[in-house]
Amino acid sequence: MEVQGKVKMIGETQTFGSNGFRKRELVVTTEEQYPQHILVEFVQDKTDLLDSYKVGQPVKVNINLRGREWVNPQGETKYFNSVQGWRIEAAQAEGSSTPPVAPAEAFEPATNLNEEDHDDLPF
């Protein structure tokens, strides 16, 4: 799956526990009628992927949905979801996604036209 939008926030890398688990958060704001602010977590070596991005930059983020089950001390089962990023790339800004058009000089002009030739197109 992927999330596309503009970078709203890039957090600092956080380190947890004695084993050095690393996590970094990114918020992407979607560009649609009702924009959504999606929190995406990058973990371990993937935290470094965010180093070259800035707030306001359009991005496309490949994500995985993760779910966990936890039983609290009272014996109640709780469920938690997270959105985990594994790749990020710069995206074109909205409105500039039109494909490039070849210049007119790239095409040879037709020289064998005859106005009296019958047009055999069915429309």
Side-chain angles (χ1 to χ4, degrees), residues 13-65:
T13 301
Q14 301 171 316
T15 305
F16 301 94
S18 58
N19 62 354
F21 178 80
R22 296 186 315 151
K23 178 175 104 168
R24 193 169 183 188
E25 295 177 338
L26 167 80
V27 176
V28 176
T29 301
T30 62
E31 296 175 336
E32 52 195 343
Q33 183 177 0
Y34 301 106
Q36 303 296 307
H37 307 285
I38 309 295
L39 175 69
V40 181
E41 297 176 342
F42 286 78
V43 298
Q44 298 299 74
D45 61 331
K46 302 295 183 192
T47 61
D48 299 335
L49 296 176
L50 301 179
D51 289 344
S52 59
Y53 293 92
K54 295 179 176 30
V55 171
Q57 185 174 2
V59 293
K60 182 172 27 170
V61 182
N62 292 90
I63 60 168
N64 290 325
L65 292 177

Side-chain angles (χ1 to χ4, degrees), residues 100-120:
V101 177
E105 304 86 50
F107 299 98
E108 289 185 34
T111 56
N112 60 351
L113 289 178
N114 184 349
E115 295 290 330
E116 297 172 7
D117 281 347
H118 176 66
D119 185 5
D120 61 351

